[in-house]
């Protein structure tokens, strides 16, 4: 392709964009891996966006009212790193660019949230970025309704590729954003007609403009290399009250011999190709060097928002003291001081009245005291509100006509919901939780994993957590989902036994700043097992002695959730036969593992036989507690599931699958024999 026309029509623009392209070529060559083509193709869009539209101040990357830029096509990470370096984000030095993809560098293969300011979310799993962006746009709407346009008024910009738009999650995001008229969400589609295997026609012939339009979006199609067209399209997108999609016709790996081919998608490292491409760009500077005048222009862009930000500080200071401190508290993920006392009061009441409740209903009871106090919570469910018990009476629906609504009807979109919740948590100022059935953890999982990786405290309310849900049968009965959740690093998996433990689990989930929580809750009623009120949050210790052995301690039963009462009944049977039995309730294995060794030994001393009880598979953490941390602490067994469940009433299923007090007692006796 002859680039002369592009170069001569807008020379200043061209050089700024060429800086992105050449940094990408240099960094990928140095790493000998990465993706050159996407940044080379989208550099013009990025340059116009940053130069003319994006509200940001490189010196204050956490300014709450900044526009958010989300690179959904995360493989194009060098586009983002180049922008951060060029505009002068202090952390993003040229050394970091030179160390692209290397150990210890903040320039990871794909953008990682927390590595450097300006990386708003982790992307790389295609489709996550566009769905996460929906949550950013929602948080902005909610905050704007609450605090007013003078302190909250920003856009969320997304760059998505063909891959992002093919992933199923994008449909959930597009449909939801259209319904909710998220007018400040603007998506650039890198319409280059190339993916890894070849041209898009190999696998898709969707009319993307019609698709977005059908969901209520404002759509435009432009030449993605024409800076004037890009600028005009962004203006129009901002003016529209609908979410906007701008289809940007681009050439992947622009100007190289790999242009418009799938070869251009990956790492272009051939020195001749790089030299020829730079020559075509009219670029003569050595590798990693940006001519001073071009760097100065970029740095001016990085400072463009400084005055606006200073003015924002003044406007923020004009809010009432109370509003300022609320705003700041929520952004800092601090809970109100009163949270502990309302949780304690509920625990005391529950221990005294000892209701038999499904823990999903317990969770609702907790939310009834939490939501009026923590006005930053935003609840929701993927079309299972009545089943997940996620809505409290004080929450109205979040809707275009009611942005103060704190309850989201996500529709049947577990994955989109989970990613958007992550986006809300990342945006800040709001605290998202959302529900579905535990078995549909699978539908939400890629976003749950990213919450853990990004270290954000999204709360996943997963009800109907075992065969105890009964007649809906094995499609709906999770057996392996606790295991996969527990196998995920930096995730708290709570399986509370009653309302007291559910309240304690919520308290940990809400005070957590860097760890997402999975609340695994029952459909069926369970008795209160915590009959003695304790001020301390015992669930925060992960496991604790619920009932001590009488006489010589010969057995320890370790149980979670709905099986704790089964363990208690087994203890009765064993004690009646003179077998001293301790029951340990273990609502959160991860928190127990975080306790010091002395406490863990106190709860699980060597000597007695151990039997675990949980209506799920044994995989995913159990053996550490059953066999002992050194694997030689004695004899152990497990009562749980080894297959899928079945469709029948819950009590029949517990009987048929052998998860009964009698079965537990027999296992203990067999181990002692
Ligand atoms: C969920 C997921 N599946 C697969 C991949 C691997 N992958 C990375 S980029 C890519 C092709 C994406 O095509 P497109 O979005 O058009 O990017 P372009 O080639 O235009 O840069 C694939 C399959 C991924 N990162 N995430
Ligand atoms: Mg593509």
């Amino acid at each position: 392709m002859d680039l002369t026309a592009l170069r001569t029509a807008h020379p200043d623009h061209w050089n700024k964009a060429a800086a992105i392209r050449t940094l990408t070529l240099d960094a990928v060559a140095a790493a000998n891996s990465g993706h050159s083509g996407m940044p080379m193709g989208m550099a013009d869009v990025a340059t116009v966006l940053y130069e003319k539209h994006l509200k940001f101040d490189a010196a204050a990357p956490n300014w709450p009212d900044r526009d958010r830029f989300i690179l959904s096509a995360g493989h194009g990470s060098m586009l983002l790193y180049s922008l951060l370096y060029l505009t002068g984000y202090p952390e993003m030095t040229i050394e970091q660019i030179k160390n692209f993809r290397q150990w210890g560098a903040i320039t990871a293969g794909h953008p990682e949230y927390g590595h450097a300011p300006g990386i708003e979310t982790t992307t790389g799993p295609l489709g996550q970025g566009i769905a996460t962006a929906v949550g950013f746009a929602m948080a902005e709407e909610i905050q704007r309704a609450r605090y007013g346009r003078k302190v909250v008024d920003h856009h969320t910009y997304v760059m998505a590729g063909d891959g992002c738009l093919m992933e199923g999650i994008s449909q959930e995001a597009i449909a939801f954003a259209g319904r909710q008229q998220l007018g400040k969400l603007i998506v650039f589609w890198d319409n280059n007609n190339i993916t890894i295997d070849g041209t898009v026609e190999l696998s898709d012939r969707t009319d993307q403009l019609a698709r977005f339009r059908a969901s209520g979006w404002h759509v435009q199609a432009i030449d993605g290399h024409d800076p004037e067209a890009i600028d005009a399209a962004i203006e129009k997108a901002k003016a529209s009250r609908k979410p906007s999609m701008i289809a940007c016709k681009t050439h992947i790996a622009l100007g190289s011999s790999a242009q418009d081919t799938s070869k251009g998608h990956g790492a272009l490292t051939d020195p001749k190709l790089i030299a020829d491409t730079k020559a075509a760009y009219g670029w003569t500077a050595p590798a990693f060097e940006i001519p001073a005048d071009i760097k100065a222009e970029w740095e001016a862009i990085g400072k463009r928002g400084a005055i606006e930000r200073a003015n924002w500080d003044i406007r923020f200071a004009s809010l009432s003291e109370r509003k300022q401190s609320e705003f700041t508290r929520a952004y800092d993920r601090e809970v109100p001081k009163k949270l502990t006392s309302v949780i304690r009061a509920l625990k005391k009441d529950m221990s005294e009245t000892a209701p038999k409740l499904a823990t999903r209903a317990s969770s609702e009871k907790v939310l009834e005291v939490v939501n009026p106090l923590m006005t930053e919570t935003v609840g929701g469910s993927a079309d299972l509100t009545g089943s997940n018990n996620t809505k409290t009476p004080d929450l109205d629906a979040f809707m275009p006509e009611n942005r103060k609504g704190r309850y989201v009807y996500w529709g049947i979109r577990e994955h989109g919901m989970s990613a958007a919740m992550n986006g809300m948590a990342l945006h800040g100022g709001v605290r998202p939780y959302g529900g579905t059935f535990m078995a549909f953890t699978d539908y939400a999982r890629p976003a749950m994993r990213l919450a853990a990786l990004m270290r954000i405290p999204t709360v996943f309310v997963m009800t109907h957590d075992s065969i105890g849900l009964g007649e809906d049968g094995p499609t709906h009965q999770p057996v392996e989902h606790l295991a996969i959740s527990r196998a995920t690093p930096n995730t708290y998996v709570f399986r509370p036994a009653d309302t007291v433990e559910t309240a304690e689990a919520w308290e940990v989930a809400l005070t957590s700043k860097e760890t997402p929580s999975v609340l695994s809750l029952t459909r069926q009623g369970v008795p209160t097992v915590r009959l003695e009120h304790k001020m301390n949050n015992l669930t925060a210790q992960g496991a604790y002695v619920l009932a001590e052995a009488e006489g010589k301690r010969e057995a320890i039963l370790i149980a979670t959730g709905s099986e704790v009462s089964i363990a208690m009944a087994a203890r009765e049977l064993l004690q009646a036969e003179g077998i001293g039995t301790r029951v340990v309730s273990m609502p959160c294995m991860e928190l127990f593992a975080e306790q010091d060794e002395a406490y863990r030994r106190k709860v699980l001393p060597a000597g007695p036989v151990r039997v675990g009880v949980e209506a799920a598979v044994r995989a995913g953490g159990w053996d550490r507690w059953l066999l002992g941390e050194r694997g030689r602490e004695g004899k152990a067994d497990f009562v749980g599931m080894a297959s899928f469940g079945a469709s029948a009433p819950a009590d029949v299923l517990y009987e048929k699958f052998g998860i009964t007090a009698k079965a537990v007692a027999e296992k203990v006796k067999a181990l002692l024999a």
Side-chain angles (χ1 to χ4, degrees), residues 450-461:
L450 279 191
L453 178 61
M454 290 192 280
R455 310 193 68 81
I456 53 171
T458 315
V459 181
F460 301 93
V461 182

Side-chain angles (χ1 to χ4, degrees), residues 111-114 119-125 128-129 132 426 450 453-454:
E112 301 231 23
Y113 176 70
I119 302 175
E120 302 285 3
T121 181
T122 295
T123 51
Q128 286 294 325
T132 305
L426 289 162
L450 279 191
L453 178 61
M454 290 192 280

Side-chain angles (χ1 to χ4, degrees), residues 38 75 124-126 161-163 167 192 194-196 252 265:
M38 187 277 171
H75 57 281
L126 296 170
D162 302 302
E167 289 290 351
N192 61 21
I194 290 292
T195 67
I196 292 177
I252 196 168
H265 164 91

